[in-house]
Amino acid sequence: MSAVSGKKNRTPTVLDVVALLTNLPENRLARGNVGTIVEELDNETVLVEFSGDDGRPYAVAPCQRSELLTLHYVPEAA
């Protein structure tokens, strides 16, 4: 099993790049916004930093792991 395929079914963790599956209007974030997990707050909640194309953060918000989709930049076997 490769390191990539070992990640296939795990929950998002620190330094994973993720996309929101729900809107967070209180943080002015919408479904599909992309961020990086920067801290684990508890078993269900992580702190995600959202940055623009220039790398400057525009929001930091606590998010439920279940409301995040981990993004992959390397193809995985289906």
Side-chain angles (χ1 to χ4, degrees), residues 1-75:
M1 176 186 324
S2 73
V4 172
S5 63
K7 294 181 177 182
K8 190 172 183 178
N9 292 318
R10 67 173 178 76
T11 60
T13 189
V14 173
L15 299 182
D16 279 347
V17 177
V18 295
L20 282 177
L21 294 174
T22 60
N23 294 327
L24 295 178
E26 64 277 8
N27 296 99
R28 299 182 60 188
L29 296 167
R31 184 177 196 268
N33 281 132
V34 175
T36 302
I37 297 175
V38 294
E39 185 177 343
E40 295 185 14
L41 301 177
D42 59 38
N43 288 337
E44 292 85 31
T45 313
V46 293
L47 194 62
V48 181
E49 179 181 275
F50 297 88
S51 301
D53 291 337
D54 60 1
R56 299 175 107 182
Y58 59 84
V60 176
C63 300
Q64 297 297 307
R65 290 179 203 264
S66 62
E67 296 175 342
L68 299 171
L69 172 67
T70 304
L71 302 180
H72 303 278
Y73 295 98
V74 176

